[in-house]
Amino acid sequence: MKEISNEIILKAANVKKYFPIKKGLLLKTVGHVKAVDDITLEVRKGETIGLVGESGCGKSTFGRTLIRLYEPTAGEIEFEGQNFLKVGGRSLRNLRKDIQMIFQDPYASLDPRMTVGQIVRQPFEIHNVGSSAEREKRVKELLELVGLKASHVNRYPHEFSGGQRQRICIARAIALNPKLIICDEPVSALDVSIQAQILNLLKDLQEQLGLTYVFISHDLSVIEYFCDRVAVMYLGKIVEIGTRDEMFNGPKHPYTQALLSAIPRVGEGKKAMKKSLSGEVPSPINPPPGCTFHPRCPHAMDICAQHIPKLEGKNTQSVACHLYDANLKLKK
């Protein structure tokens, strides 16, 4: 049983990320893609929190904004009590040792011109950590830690399978002993038979190294297996958040209920799809007023199109839905 601290390691408050739409010869801004729209989230030390939702809901953009691969349009991000958005230069470089990212595509995230040894050694060189001999020793230790052989140091990425390449990416991510890792769909590009191996590796590393994960995925079965808490995103917003048991056994938001009902279950056949979603996700350029889910919601009321629901709830579960009061009881 892993230990989860009450200490907040990462805090995002009212984070927004809008991408400008430019047209004309003068590239005038005519609108914005509201990829992340006012998200507040706290991550506790030692936990794995999952971000889940349909494609295009803003999961990956939010993850990249947390690590400042994208600069947020508005909001605040704190890492271990320090304002992450105020630091720059050498201070930012030092802080990046503690926050790393594993990307979705192990084929695209590795430089094909570099050997495995050079790839895993690169973080030490960038941050000037250790001597040459110490780096060589550490690279071999990292490869063995993620299930590869030390003799693989002189091979190139094209000589490895997809699962092995993701292990190389993981070795690079943990090289500097980070405290937080953003996992952006790290198993979605892999065969199902390999996915469990990578997930179990990440679990083992979390226990050994005391890691905290923000785990992004569209696969609810992966989220259920891997995460301690789950945040459901829709059109750039978090619509529900809670523990794994709360989200999979007692979902409140109609969107969460629809996502869970779409999971194939043995013996249920088409009945499992009875709450599946209809219609398309609205454009993030011009999202619907009020609750952005109301055009697709089977329980939509007049208030849903007029007012944005607050994310509120009781204890560990919160939901942004006009159907419930602050105690998560259905309104009469």
Side-chain angles (χ1 to χ4, degrees):
M1 187 77 177
K2 70 177 182 180
E3 294 183 5
I4 299 175
S5 170
N6 288 325
E7 178 185 349
I8 303 300
I9 190 172
L10 180 72
K11 183 178 181 180
N14 306 113
V15 171
K16 297 181 180 181
K17 179 57 186 176
Y18 295 173
F19 293 98
I21 302 170
K22 298 181 181 293
K23 287 186 178 180
L25 292 175
L26 300 178
L27 295 178
K28 183 179 179 181
T29 300
V30 297
H32 290 87
V33 177
K34 299 178 179 180
V36 176
D37 195 12
D38 197 17
I39 287 183
T40 296
L41 180 69
E42 293 182 345
V43 182
R44 294 193 294 269
K45 188 174 182 179
E47 79 169 336
T48 300
I49 184 166
L51 295 178
V52 68
E54 293 173 287
S55 297
C57 71
K59 306 184 300 294
S60 294
T61 301
F62 182 51
R64 294 179 182 222
T65 304
L66 288 176
I67 201 172
R68 282 186 66 182
L69 290 181
Y70 295 145
E71 291 292 337
T73 305
E76 297 180 356
I77 300 174
E78 290 184 4
F79 179 72
E80 292 192 320
Q82 184 176 0
N83 191 329
F84 190 39
L85 302 181
K86 295 291 184 181
V87 296
R90 181 170 296 181
S91 297
L92 178 59
R93 173 179 286 191
N94 290 334
L95 200 55
R96 286 198 186 280
K97 292 180 185 178
D98 294 329
I99 309 176
Q100 293 292 317
M101 190 162 192
I102 300 171
F103 295 93
Q104 176 179 359
D105 189 352
Y107 296 88
S109 57
L110 298 176
D111 190 334
R113 299 166 297 180
M114 298 174 68
T115 65
V116 170
Q118 291 172 327
I119 290 170
V120 180
R121 191 186 307 117
Q122 194 173 40
F124 301 113
E125 295 173 348
I126 291 174
H127 293 277
N128 195 25
V129 175
S131 64
S132 179
E134 289 171 338
R135 293 172 186 174
E136 293 297 328
K137 180 182 178 182
R138 183 58 180 155
V139 166
K140 291 179 180 179
E141 290 175 349
L142 286 166
L143 290 179
E144 292 179 344
L145 186 60
V146 299
L148 297 174
K149 296 180 180 179
S151 58
H152 289 164
V153 288
N154 294 319
R155 294 188 181 183
Y156 288 87
H158 72 268
E159 300 179 65
F160 295 88
S161 66
Q164 290 174 319
R165 292 188 196 197
Q166 198 60 293
R167 290 176 187 268
I168 297 168
C169 295
I170 293 170
R172 178 178 61 185
I174 65 173
L176 297 172
N177 296 316
K179 298 175 181 177
L180 173 70
I181 297 182
I182 311 293
C183 304
D184 185 9
E185 305 220 30
V187 298
S188 63
L190 306 178
D191 292 337
V192 175
S193 60
I194 305 300
Q195 288 183 6
Q197 296 178 20
I198 298 300
L199 291 174
N200 288 331
L201 171 62
L202 290 171
K203 277 193 169 188
D204 291 341
L205 291 173
Q206 184 176 42
E207 185 175 338
Q208 294 176 40
L209 306 177
L211 297 170
T212 303
Y213 293 133
V214 175
F215 192 89
I216 299 165
S217 179
H218 65 275
D219 190 332
L220 284 163
S221 59
V222 170
I223 290 288
E224 184 177 16
Y225 173 73
F226 192 72
C227 298
D228 304 304
R229 283 197 302 146
V230 183
V232 179
M233 288 186 62
Y234 184 79
L235 213 64
K237 297 179 181 291
I238 291 178
V239 296
E240 187 170 4
I241 187 169
T243 66
R244 173 178 53 203
D245 290 340
E246 288 170 341
M247 299 299 282
F248 283 89
N249 296 323
K252 302 296 183 184
H253 199 283
Y255 178 63
T256 310
Q257 294 171 355
L259 287 179
L260 292 175
S261 71
I263 300 176
R265 301 186 187 278
V266 176
E268 293 188 13
K270 294 183 179 179
K271 291 182 180 180
M273 300 294 289
K274 61 184 178 182
K275 292 184 180 179
S276 61
L277 296 172
S278 60
E280 298 293 330
V281 179
S283 170
I285 299 173
N286 186 26
C291 174
T292 53
F293 184 63
H294 83 264
R296 306 173 72 191
C297 181
H299 308 291
M301 304 174 289
D302 291 341
I303 192 176
C304 299
Q306 299 168 3
H307 299 286
I308 299 174
K310 295 180 180 180
L311 185 65
E312 56 186 7
K314 186 178 182 180
N315 299 326
T316 55
Q317 189 172 17
S318 298
V319 61
C321 183
H322 290 300
L323 291 172
Y324 301 91
D325 61 20
N327 292 317
L328 295 186
K329 293 181 179 179
L330 284 169
K331 294 178 182 177
K332 294 182 179 180

